[in-house]
Each structure stands twice: as structure tokens, then as C-alpha cells.
Amino acid sequence: MAQNTYKSNTFKSNQGKQAKAKKKLSLNLKIPFLKDRRFQLSLGFFLLLASVFIFLSCFSYLFTGKADQSVVEAFFDKGESVKSLGQEVANWMKLLGALTAHKLIFSWFGIGAFLIPPFLFILGYKIVWGKELMKISRALVTTLFFLVWISLLMGSMIRSDDSVSEWSFYSGGMGYELSLFFDGLLGYGTILFLAFTLLVYVIFFFNITEVLSLKKAAVGPVEKDNSMPETKSTATEPESEEEAEEDMEEESEEALENWVVTVKDEEEADSEPEKEESAPTINLSTTPAQNTPKPQVEEKTDELELEIAPVNTPQPKSQDKEPAFEVEIKEASEKLVEKAGHYDPTLDLPKFQFPNVDLLNEYSTGKIQVTKDELQQNKDKIVETLTNFKIGIASIKATIGPTVTLYEIVPEAGVKISKIKNLEDDIALSLSALGIRIIAPIPGKGTIGIEVPNKNKEMVSMRSVISTDKFMNSDMALPIALGKTITNEIFVTDLAKMPHLLMAGATGQGKSVGLNVILTSLLYKKHPSQLKFVLVDPKKVELTLFNKIERHYLAKLPDNEEPIITDTKKVIYTLNSLCIEMDQRYDLLKDAACRNIKEYNKKFVDRKLNPEKGHRFLPYIVLVIDELADLMMTAGKEVETPIARLAQLARAIGIHLVVATQRPSVNVITGIIKANFPARLSFRVTSKVDSRTILDAGGADQLIGQGDMLLSMGSDIIRLQCAFVDTPEVDEICEFIGSQRGYDSAYLLPEFVGEDEGGGRADVDLSERDALFDEAARLIVAHQQGSTSLIQRKLKLGYNRAGRLIDQLEAAGIVGPFEGSKAREVLIPDEYSLEQLLNNLGNN
């Protein structure tokens, strides 16, 4: 049975706690109204208020108790009315407070009664907010112990003091009676008894054995249960006793909590990870993350019974044992989920906190509304211009956006749409405006749109976009909040469904801000375990801010010192390394019988994939290239080929591309690249040719700049005002993330060695073959696939050793030469031919 190697995802004593959850469920089912959250909240707030009431009553009793003595006696002995007595009582809480304090302090517990309000407050706080200020069991034991202990102490002091009247007021009736009993039994030995009981309490409550080192140094190793997968590397007695102590404490408080606490199949199985998942202060729900499903104990039990049946069914003997293996993995996964819960990748960094919206600026410009005069003037000029060209208008209406107002017109019957479209320059002249754009017709409407820039533009802050429910509550895989539409709606889209984005824009039109908006959106929604960035910055200055999040979100080659890739040769290696990563992920998906990364990660989270077989949780990888034109000029095909291959194939395995360029000319955005980027985003460009290159349509040359952009997704083109995030804001966000505990290093991509650096066939000495050379050769010939990742996965090797084996296999004539990211050709057709070759190599 495979062992769970993911230590950070184990849970303490899950089997016992799940059994407790079942007991709680059965108890609560007998009294259904106790499960009603309304009842629980009512009870919790009652206990909180009662604790305050009792405390104030008892505290007031210290000063007013003697004055109220006659009132209390009149109530109990003479039965006088509440109305008359309430006017006489001096207690702050009036008659009820005086009666309560009298019973608790004078009749029963003495000043020890002051322990009751804190216990009620702790219990009420737990019921209302579900958090423990102190273990309920410890609070209960402490309260009961000191109620008796303090009463006996005060009673003993009364009997040893001549001024009995002063002490008897605070000893309580129980203390007085106990002191009489122990005085007759032990005499002055009562003091020794009190000291002994206090010492015993301290020893148990504070686990004094740990402090005084009185515990045995070693009691032998804990016997392992080989029938169960290991989920924790605890092998010493002290840790086991701590866990046992926690379980005993939980069992001791069950009787009190069962009729109070909400039935949840219990989140208390491990309260700390659940708390950390709520670490993000903006309550970004991910986790995801966000987002790990909780164990369903009852359902999994039924599924386990269904899955076991095929294992006991006789199967025909065959060399292909995959079906039986799959059944065994399913059985193991069901047991692991029951005992350890679902795998949660975010527990690698359990205390990670998402950045707060306070790190983003709320610009003071506010919403600047277009005046009625401006609307009326623009309307009159549009109608006048069209009338001059003998085009009648049936109706016209305006929709005000942050930077542009859309005027929708319905032409009279018989008017050609092309005739209006050709008047774009004339309308712009009449309005004296830059950036007039005519949409003829508006998709899905029977109208023609004329977009006119506003005189006073509204700045769309990143904070106003991020803090909306549309983004906060988004369940998209890779949500990005780009800005606002022409109708003032927040525009949020999923990068995973694009699946790649091609960006263009002239210098100073907002392209770099757009990249920062995309990156910032993802940082606010995805945990570091769920997302990695590969940042390529040929200009060397645009993306340097993100250096600080290297150990959290960035991915790089193993030998790279800088996480932001600027050197052209390193860019080529990184792109080819991503192709290798893509091939490895597809191999994992093939072995797992999954079609995409979502299905694969779901299986891994459900513990249906064995990490010892090379399976792992796959984070999304977003490749960002800030300036493609520079790379195409210096590297050409060496860059174009891996980009095109990633764009064609990488969607299913969670690798997505965001590629930006200043000028989208045809020698930069080639046909093979363009064909694989269905989503295009254009800021203002300098010519109609560039607009058609990037969008396959005009209009980008008519934009007004400063974040005004067109997004093409399929057949639709949407005009947006990009959100604005300034460089200091991005710097603060990266500083906030980088200051937290991260991984030991950046996410390492597979090693890639260029042909000029590779060992090559001539540099390999076959007399010093690897010990696994023969096994690797048989593996390659059996699968007829010359892949480094195949050797790495099947033989459980690192990438470097697998690469050396491939070089030796090439030198021996078993596989062909290196062909980029493709698998090498296998030159040996069958195992018989291979054995002959291996024998010849052995003789040499």
C-alpha cells in the first residue's frame, strides 16, 4: 500500500474524530431542534449576556451585599412583592441581581462564584463564533475544581480566625460546611490537603512533567500499523501522548458540546487548516483553493463497499494488470480520504495570506457623469450630420460609459448600413472628437452604435474592480478583472477559457498596465500552490517588481539565478522546457485517464493517484511575454516554434500564454502564432493595418488611449476601459506576499540543454554506462517512445540522470538524435534485436 508522502496534508487522529462526528450526529438526530442554528445562536448569546449579568451582580454584591441582606431575606421568608422590594435593593442589577449574587456567594460558593461568569462566556463564545478561547473541558474542570477549593480554603480560614463575621460573608455555605467536615477529619491537616490538591491540579493542567523533565527520556518506538498508509512521521512516545491527551480532552467535552455545537461532519477534524484557509482578509474563497472538499464519511463508506467488489472477482491472468491496479488504487484512496481527508495543496503554505484591498489606491476622481447638455449637443450633431447626407433617424439613445458614450441609432427603412459606416470621419469632424468608432450593426441588436469619447473621463481603479462581488465570488479557474465595459459593468473573464491572450498597443497606451492588471487579478485569487508564473521581459525593466514573489509564484529553469527571464538564450531554453513540462503533464494525464488538468487534480485531491508513481498536484502555469517583437527579431523560429506548440496543445494541461507586443506587424505576429490565439486584446495602435493584424478588424487605431481597449473573443469585439494599477501599488502587493514564508525556491521547470551545450553522441563513453542502462533500453523499446520523461517516471529518476541515459542510448544507436521538444525516434524495432545489441555492448 502506498504511503502518503505529503506530510503537510495529514490530519491528527482523523479516524477517532470521525467516529466522534458520527456520535454527535446520532445524538443530535434524536433532538432535531438542537441542530437549528437559530436555537444555537439564541443559546449562545443568552450565555454571553448571562455571564455579564452574573459578574456585575456578584461584583456589586461586594459593596451592597450587606445592605441588601434584609431585602433578600424578605423575599425568601416573607414573600414580599417584587415591585416593593425592587425599589429598596441597592445591587446594580436590582432584585434579580441581588438574589443571584446572594445564592452564589453567600449560600453556595463564596467568592469562588466569580469563576462562573468566565466559564459561561467561554461556552457562549464557542457556540456563537465556533472558536475556543479555552478548551471547554479545561474550563469546566478548572471552574468546578476552584469552586470547591476556594470555598474550602475560605471556610478553613474562617474557622482559624477570630473575626468570623468578616470572612463568613465571602466563604459561602458550601465552604462553611466543608470546613466543618475537614476540620473534624484532618484538623490543621486541611491546609496540607489543600496544598496537595492544588499541586495535583497544576501537574495535570500544565503538564508539569514536560517542564521539570520528569518524563522518561525514551519508552521505545511506537508500533506501526502496516495495514494502513502512513500519513504522519510521528514515531516517538511523547508526541503520541500529546495526541492522546488532546483526544481525551475532546472526549471529556463531548457531553457538554453535543447538545450545543452545530452538526457539521466536523470541521473540527482539523480546525487549524480550515482557519488558515480563511487567512486571506478579503475572503477570497479558493481555494481554493481554495476550495478543498471536506471528507464525506458516510458517502465514502458506501462507495468503498461498491469498489471492493471487483477486487474479489476472479480476473483472467494477463500481463496487463492495469484494471486490478486501478481498483486497488481506488480502494486505497477511499481509505485515505476517510482517514486523512482530501489532499489540500494549500497546506504547503498554511499561513499564507492573500493581499488586502487596502494595498490598492482608491482614486479620488470618482464617477464623472456626462452632463445633459453634452449628451444633447452630441445627439444634435450626429442627427444633423446624418441628415445632411440624407439619412433619416427613427430613434437615438445614449449609454454612458467611463470614458466613452454609446449612441444607438435606428435608421429609417431603406437606409444602407454601409452608407452610415462610411461617414465615420464626417461624424468625428462634426463632434470635434478623437476616437469615433461606428459599430454597424451592434451584434444582437437591430441598431447601429456610434461611440463618442467623453469630455471628462472616469479613471477605473483596480481597487474598485477587485472589491466587487463579481470578482470576489468568481468560481473561474483563472479569473482576471480587466476593467469596465461601455455600460459601466465590471468585466471579469477566465484566462483558462481564452485559453491564450495576444496583446498589442503602441507605447504609452496602457499595455504594461494591462499586464499588471492581469497579474494582480490572479495574485488576489490564487494560492501559490495553485498558480505559477513564467515571466519573460526582454526590456528588463517592466516585470522586475515581481522578483519579490519568486519563492511563492514564479517558475524558472534550475540553473537560472534570476527568476525574471531577460536573456534571449534563456528564453529559448525556458520555452522548450515548458514544452517538456507539457509533454510530462500529458503523460501523467494519460496514465490517470484524464482529459484535462481539472479532472486530473480532482483525482489527485481525492487521493486516487499515487505520488510514488510520479503523480503530483499540477498548478496552473501562466507564461507572460512582455515584448514578443524583440524576441522574434533576435531568435525568430527558435522562439516561434515552441510558442506555437504551447499555444496549440498546452490548454488542457493548464499552461496558458499571455503575449504582448508594441507593434503587431505580420513579421512579429506570424500566421502560425496568430491562429492559436483566439483571444486578442488591443490598446490604441498607430494604423489600421496594425488593427487588422491584431483584431482582424479595424477600430484599434480609433481608440483614445489611456487604457481604452478592444477585446476580441471569437466573433465579438468588446470595448473596455482597462483598470488602472500604479507601480507603487504592484510593489506593495509583491512586498506583502514576498514578506511571508514561501517555498524553499521557485517552482523548477524541467532542465533543458541546448544542442550547443549538450553532450552529444560523440562525447558519451559507453564503457561507463549507467547501472540502469539495460533497464532503460528495454523500457524505451517496449514503449517505442524515446522520451526522457518516460524514463524519469517509470524508473523514478531525476531529470539529469534520465537525460544522461538518453544520451547513452543515442550513442548506442537505440534512439535517434534530439528533435526539440518531440520524443526521439526509437531505432530498435523489438526486444530480440535489443538483446543482441546489449550482448554486443557487454562483450566490448
Coordinates of all heavy atoms in Angstrom, one line a residue, residues 437-473:
R437 N -16.0 55.7 -33.2 CA -16.0 54.3 -33.7 C -17.4 54.0 -34.0 O -18.3 54.1 -33.1 CB -15.4 53.4 -32.7 CG -15.4 51.9 -33.1 CD -14.5 51.1 -32.2 NE -14.7 49.7 -32.4 CZ -15.5 48.9 -31.7 NH1 -16.2 49.4 -30.7 NH2 -15.6 47.6 -32.0
I438 N -17.7 53.5 -35.2 CA -19.1 53.1 -35.6 C -19.2 51.6 -35.6 O -18.3 50.9 -36.3 CB -19.4 53.7 -37.0 CG1 -19.5 55.2 -36.8 CG2 -20.8 53.2 -37.4 CD1 -19.9 55.9 -38.1
I439 N -20.2 51.0 -35.0 CA -20.4 49.6 -35.0 C -21.7 49.4 -35.8 O -22.8 49.8 -35.3 CB -20.6 49.1 -33.5 CG1 -19.5 49.5 -32.6 CG2 -20.7 47.5 -33.5 CD1 -19.7 49.3 -31.2
A440 N -21.6 48.8 -36.9 CA -22.7 48.7 -37.8 C -22.9 47.3 -38.3 O -22.1 46.9 -39.2 CB -22.6 49.7 -39.0
P441 N -23.8 46.5 -37.8 CA -24.7 46.8 -36.7 C -24.1 46.3 -35.4 O -23.1 45.6 -35.4 CB -26.0 46.1 -37.1 CG -25.4 44.8 -37.7 CD -24.2 45.3 -38.5
I442 N -24.8 46.7 -34.3 CA -24.3 46.1 -33.0 C -24.8 44.7 -32.9 O -26.0 44.4 -33.1 CB -25.0 46.9 -31.8 CG1 -24.5 48.4 -31.8 CG2 -24.7 46.3 -30.5 CD1 -25.1 49.3 -30.8
P443 N -23.9 43.7 -32.6 CA -24.3 42.3 -32.6 C -25.4 42.1 -31.6 O -25.4 42.5 -30.4 CB -23.0 41.6 -32.1 CG -21.9 42.5 -32.5 CD -22.4 43.9 -32.4
G444 N -26.4 41.4 -32.0 CA -27.5 41.0 -31.2 C -28.6 42.1 -31.1 O -29.6 41.9 -30.4
K445 N -28.4 43.2 -31.7 CA -29.4 44.3 -31.6 C -29.6 44.8 -33.1 O -28.8 44.8 -33.9 CB -28.9 45.5 -30.8 CG -28.7 45.1 -29.3 CD -28.3 46.4 -28.5 CE -28.1 46.1 -27.0 NZ -27.7 47.3 -26.3
G446 N -30.8 45.4 -33.2 CA -31.1 46.0 -34.5 C -30.8 47.4 -34.6 O -31.6 48.2 -35.1
T447 N -29.6 47.8 -34.1 CA -29.2 49.2 -34.0 C -27.8 49.4 -34.5 O -27.1 48.4 -34.7 CB -29.3 49.8 -32.6 OG1 -28.5 49.0 -31.7 CG2 -30.7 49.7 -32.0
I448 N -27.5 50.6 -34.8 CA -26.1 51.0 -35.2 C -25.5 51.8 -34.0 O -26.2 52.7 -33.5 CB -26.1 51.8 -36.5 CG1 -26.6 50.9 -37.6 CG2 -24.7 52.3 -36.8 CD1 -26.8 51.6 -38.9
G449 N -24.3 51.5 -33.6 CA -23.7 52.2 -32.5 C -22.6 53.2 -32.9 O -21.8 52.9 -33.8
I450 N -22.6 54.3 -32.3 CA -21.6 55.3 -32.5 C -21.0 55.6 -31.2 O -21.7 56.2 -30.3 CB -22.2 56.6 -33.1 CG1 -22.9 56.3 -34.5 CG2 -21.1 57.7 -33.3 CD1 -23.5 57.5 -35.1
E451 N -19.7 55.3 -31.0 CA -19.0 55.5 -29.7 C -18.3 56.9 -29.8 O -17.5 57.1 -30.6 CB -18.0 54.4 -29.5 CG -18.7 53.0 -29.3 CD -17.7 51.9 -29.2 OE1 -16.5 52.1 -29.5 OE2 -18.1 50.8 -28.8
V452 N -18.6 57.7 -28.8 CA -18.1 59.1 -28.7 C -17.4 59.2 -27.4 O -18.0 59.0 -26.4 CB -19.2 60.1 -28.9 CG1 -18.6 61.5 -28.9 CG2 -20.0 59.9 -30.2
P453 N -16.1 59.7 -27.4 CA -15.4 59.9 -26.1 C -16.0 61.0 -25.3 O -16.5 62.0 -25.8 CB -14.0 60.3 -26.6 CG -13.9 59.8 -28.0 CD -15.2 59.8 -28.6
N454 N -16.0 60.8 -24.0 CA -16.5 61.8 -23.1 C -15.5 62.9 -22.9 O -14.3 62.6 -22.9 CB -16.8 61.2 -21.7 CG -17.9 60.1 -21.8 OD1 -18.7 60.1 -22.7 ND2 -17.8 59.1 -20.9
K455 N -15.9 64.1 -22.6 CA -15.0 65.2 -22.4 C -14.3 65.0 -21.0 O -13.1 65.2 -20.9 CB -15.8 66.5 -22.3 CG -16.3 66.9 -23.7 CD -17.1 68.2 -23.6 CE -17.6 68.7 -25.0 NZ -18.3 70.0 -24.9
N456 N -15.0 64.5 -20.0 CA -14.4 64.2 -18.7 C -14.4 62.7 -18.5 O -15.5 62.1 -18.4 CB -15.2 64.9 -17.6 CG -15.2 66.4 -17.7 OD1 -14.2 67.0 -18.0 ND2 -16.4 67.0 -17.6
K457 N -13.3 62.1 -18.5 CA -13.1 60.6 -18.4 C -13.1 60.2 -16.9 O -12.5 60.9 -16.1 CB -11.9 60.2 -19.1 CG -11.9 60.6 -20.6 CD -10.6 60.2 -21.3 CE -10.6 60.6 -22.7 NZ -10.7 62.1 -22.9
E458 N -13.6 59.0 -16.7 CA -13.5 58.4 -15.3 C -12.4 57.4 -15.3 O -12.2 56.6 -16.1 CB -14.8 57.7 -15.0 CG -14.8 56.9 -13.7 CD -15.9 55.9 -13.6 OE1 -16.8 55.9 -14.5 OE2 -15.8 55.0 -12.8
M459 N -11.6 57.6 -14.2 CA -10.5 56.6 -14.0 C -11.0 55.4 -13.3 O -11.6 55.5 -12.2 CB -9.3 57.2 -13.2 CG -8.2 56.2 -12.9 SD -6.8 56.9 -12.0 CE -6.1 58.0 -13.2
V460 N -10.8 54.2 -13.9 CA -11.3 52.9 -13.3 C -10.2 52.4 -12.4 O -9.2 51.9 -13.0 CB -11.7 51.9 -14.3 CG1 -12.2 50.6 -13.7 CG2 -12.8 52.5 -15.2
S461 N -10.3 52.5 -11.1 CA -9.2 52.0 -10.2 C -9.3 50.5 -10.1 O -10.3 49.9 -10.2 CB -9.3 52.6 -8.8 OG -10.5 52.2 -8.2
M462 N -8.1 49.9 -9.9 CA -8.1 48.4 -9.7 C -8.8 48.0 -8.5 O -9.5 46.9 -8.4 CB -6.6 48.0 -9.6 CG -6.4 46.5 -9.7 SD -6.9 45.8 -11.3 CE -6.8 44.0 -11.0
R463 N -8.8 48.9 -7.5 CA -9.5 48.5 -6.2 C -11.0 48.4 -6.4 O -11.7 47.5 -5.9 CB -9.2 49.6 -5.2 CG -9.9 49.4 -3.8 CD -9.4 50.3 -2.8 NE -10.0 50.0 -1.5 CZ -9.6 50.5 -0.3 NH1 -8.4 51.1 -0.3 NH2 -10.3 50.2 0.8
S464 N -11.6 49.3 -7.2 CA -13.0 49.3 -7.5 C -13.4 48.1 -8.2 O -14.6 47.7 -8.2 CB -13.4 50.6 -8.3 OG -12.9 50.6 -9.6
V465 N -12.5 47.5 -9.0 CA -12.8 46.3 -9.8 C -12.6 45.0 -8.9 O -13.5 44.1 -8.9 CB -12.0 46.2 -11.0 CG1 -12.2 44.9 -11.8 CG2 -12.3 47.4 -11.9
I466 N -11.5 45.0 -8.2 CA -11.2 43.8 -7.4 C -12.2 43.6 -6.2 O -12.6 42.4 -5.9 CB -9.8 44.0 -6.8 CG1 -8.7 43.8 -7.8 CG2 -9.5 43.0 -5.6 CD1 -8.5 42.4 -8.3
S467 N -12.7 44.6 -5.6 CA -13.5 44.5 -4.4 C -15.0 44.2 -4.7 O -15.8 44.1 -3.8 CB -13.4 45.8 -3.6 OG -13.9 46.9 -4.4
T468 N -15.3 44.0 -6.0 CA -16.7 43.7 -6.4 C -17.1 42.2 -6.1 O -16.2 41.4 -6.2 CB -17.0 44.1 -7.8 OG1 -16.1 43.3 -8.7 CG2 -16.8 45.6 -8.1
D469 N -18.3 42.0 -5.9 CA -18.8 40.6 -5.7 C -18.5 39.8 -7.0 O -18.3 38.6 -6.9 CB -20.3 40.6 -5.4 CG -20.5 41.1 -4.0 OD1 -19.6 41.1 -3.2 OD2 -21.7 41.5 -3.7
K470 N -18.6 40.4 -8.1 CA -18.5 39.7 -9.4 C -17.1 39.0 -9.5 O -16.9 37.9 -10.0 CB -18.7 40.6 -10.6 CG -18.8 39.9 -11.9 CD -19.2 40.9 -13.0 CE -19.4 40.1 -14.3 NZ -19.8 41.0 -15.4
F471 N -16.1 39.7 -8.9 CA -14.7 39.1 -8.9 C -14.5 38.3 -7.7 O -14.0 37.2 -7.7 CB -13.7 40.3 -9.0 CG -12.3 39.8 -9.0 CD1 -11.7 39.3 -10.1 CD2 -11.5 39.8 -7.8 CE1 -10.4 38.8 -10.1 CE2 -10.2 39.4 -7.8 CZ -9.7 38.9 -8.9
M472 N -14.9 38.8 -6.5 CA -14.7 38.1 -5.3 C -15.3 36.7 -5.2 O -14.7 35.8 -4.7 CB -15.2 39.0 -4.1 CG -14.4 40.2 -3.8 SD -15.2 41.3 -2.7 CE -15.5 40.2 -1.3
N473 N -16.5 36.6 -5.8 CA -17.2 35.4 -5.7 C -17.1 34.6 -7.0 O -17.9 33.6 -7.2 CB -18.7 35.6 -5.4 CG -18.9 36.3 -4.1 OD1 -18.1 36.1 -3.1 ND2 -19.9 37.2 -4.0

